[in-house]
Every structure is written in structure tokens, then in C-alpha cells.
Amino acid sequence: MHRETFETVAFRAGYLLLLAFMLFPLFVIVATSFSASGQIAFPPKGLSLTWYTEFLDSTRWLRAFTNSIVIGVGTAILATGLGVAGAFGQEIDDGSLGSLVTPLVLVPLLIPPVILGITLLMYFNEVGLRGSYLSIILAHTLWAMPLVYFVMRSVFSRFDWQQLDAAHDLGAGPLQSFRHVVLPNVRHGIFVGTLLAFIISLQEFVMAMFLSTPATETIPVLAWTEIRQALDPLVSVVSTFLILFSLGALALAVLATNLEWVSKQLS
């Protein structure tokens, strides 16, 4: 075996082992969700759908599941709008104002989530929004919007801006030129950014813990509350649904574009 071939095989084997090591906890979570006993144990002692039935019969878990979806959709819409607008403005404005966009976008990512949660709790309590869907959506947007912004910066960097100049020369207004010239060329990037924002919101825990109430608590918050009392397979069931939603969002991104395009846009 040639040295190059051996190195290639060794690299791929190491990569697969590392990938398996990282994915194994997910396999454990899914497997324990089918446990027939009342405790989390791997391998499970018998298989059963009892905990899935209990989840579907639980009003509190279903409400938390619905809350997570509503907040995730709201976050995805708001973060996408702000992220696309910020990236687009950065590309068309070379002045000092445009240069401030990126540092401002980075600020929420540099602040510990506990500090953000406490600060937002005090602020939203003062303005009467504490415990509302809007407060959690705004908090999640602080983390989701920067990801959308940087994805769109990468997408816009590959866009031929001469097309936009040509549209303006032909008399198209700003909104018309963006809708008919820019949007068709970057819609795949917008779609990927939207899904990323949704996934970020779906799994965010710290800020939601500070801002939510029993009526608006999300799945991660409720899961944390239940884990503190008892560790049963119901938590694994909920985690399995979150995993499936994340994989479903990834599958949608792949179907809407393709793996090669996604890798190019995020590279």
C-alpha cells in the first residue's frame, strides 16, 4: 500500500471514529426514549412506546412543544429580516456607518448568556413584556441574527453587483431591484439562514429560562425543570423530537439547495 493511500485511509478512519464518538450520545438518547422501565438506562431494559404515549397525553409538554415552535418561527422571521438587511446594507454602504454593522452584530455573541438573560429580564419586566412570546423571540434573535448576517455576507460576496447597478440604470427602484434582481440570486442563502435561526431558537435554554413563565416555557426549559426532579425516559422522548426537528431542518436545506452549494456558501 502506498504511503499516500495509507494516510488517506487512516484519515478517513479517524474522521469516522470521531464522528461516531460525537453522534453516539444522540443514539443513546433515542434508544433510551424507548425504554420500558421508569429510569434512563443504556442499553434499555426492554422496548416500549409508553413514554411517547405519555408525552402525547401531557398537556404541559405539548404546550411547551408548541411554544418552542411558535418562538422558533418568530425568531427565524425576525432574525432573517434583520440579518439580510444588515448584510445587504453592509455591501452597498462603504462608508463609516456601514463599517459599524459587523462589530454591532458581534456584540450579543460576546456577552455571556446569563448576563443577557438577567439584563433582558429586568428590561422586559420594566416595559411589561416579561413572560411574553415577544420577549423570548427578541432574546433569541440576539443570537440567531448574527448567524444569518454572516451567512448572508458570504452569499452577497459572491453576488454580481453589476446586475443591481444595471437595474438602477434601467429605472428600477430600491425595492423593485432587490425583489427582482438580488432576491432570486440569494434566496437559497436566505433559506439556509432562516433554518439556522430556527434551530438556534429551538435549542436555546439560558435566556428562555429567565424570560419564560409556565405559559410560555419552551421544551429546553421544561426539560431542565423535570430533570431536577426526576430523570425519566420522557426527557429522552422530548430530546428525540428536538433531534428530529433539527435533522428535518437540515434535510430541507439540502433539498432546497444541494450539499455542494451549501458547502460553497458556508466556506
Side-chain angles (χ1 to χ4, degrees):
M1 179 182 296
H2 295 292
R3 179 179 177 180
E4 293 80 4
T5 304
F6 175 78
E7 291 177 350
T8 301
V9 173
F11 173 79
R12 291 178 179 177
Y15 178 82
L16 290 176
L17 287 175
L18 179 61
L19 182 62
F21 177 77
M22 296 176 62
L23 294 180
F24 184 72
L26 301 182
F27 173 75
V28 172
I29 289 174
V30 175
T32 54
S33 69
F34 294 96
S35 175
S37 65
Q39 297 179 346
I40 293 181
F42 185 82
K45 300 177 181 178
L47 300 178
S48 174
L49 294 175
T50 302
W51 297 104
Y52 282 87
T53 303
E54 183 170 339
F55 171 79
L56 295 176
D57 291 337
S58 173
T59 302
R60 188 179 182 188
W61 278 108
L62 291 179
R63 181 175 64 240
F65 187 82
T66 302
N67 291 341
S68 292
I69 300 301
V70 171
I71 293 171
V73 171
T75 300
I77 294 173
L78 183 58
T80 300
L82 293 176
V84 173
F88 182 71
Q90 174 72 24
E91 291 292 336
I92 63 176
D93 186 2
D94 296 330
S96 58
L97 183 61
S99 63
L100 295 176
V101 175
T102 299
L104 290 176
V105 168
L106 279 173
V107 169
L109 298 180
L110 302 178
I111 302 176
V114 174
I115 303 300
L116 276 177
I118 295 174
T119 304
L120 292 174
L121 173 62
M122 294 187 294
Y123 173 74
F124 287 132
N125 189 54
E126 288 294 327
V127 298
L129 289 178
R130 181 183 180 274
S132 65
Y133 286 125
L134 180 59
S135 65
I136 306 176
I137 290 173
L138 292 174
H140 287 182
T141 300
L142 290 176
W143 274 9
M145 187 269 288
L147 297 181
V148 179
Y149 170 80
F150 287 113
V151 168
M152 294 310 302
R153 282 297 304 276
S154 177
V155 173
F156 282 136
S157 67
R158 293 165 172 80
F159 176 69
D160 183 6
W161 292 99
Q162 292 183 352
Q163 298 182 37
L164 186 62
D165 294 335
H168 290 161
D169 292 339
L170 293 174
L175 292 179
Q176 188 178 16
S177 59
F178 180 84
R179 177 183 176 184
H180 295 287
V181 178
V182 180
L183 188 59
N185 290 280
V186 301
R187 64 181 185 276
H188 296 299
I190 294 176
F191 185 73
V192 172
T194 301
L195 291 179
L196 287 176
F198 177 78
I199 293 174
I200 290 295
S201 175
L202 200 64
Q203 56 83 39
E204 200 284 322
F205 161 70
V206 177
M207 291 187 290
M209 180 180 64
F210 282 99
L211 298 174
S212 64
T213 63
T216 57
E217 62 185 352
T218 60
I219 285 182
V221 174
L222 181 54
W224 169 250
T225 303
E226 294 297 315
I227 287 176
R228 295 178 62 186
Q229 300 176 358
L231 189 60
D232 58 47
L234 187 56
V235 177
S236 295
V237 171
V238 178
S239 301
T240 300
F241 278 114
L242 289 178
I243 292 171
L244 291 176
F245 260 87
S246 298
L247 291 177
L250 179 61
L252 285 176
V254 173
L255 292 175
T257 58
N258 55 65
L259 283 175
E260 181 181 358
W261 187 93
V262 173
S263 64
K264 287 182 179 180
Q265 299 305 315
L266 300 182
S267 61

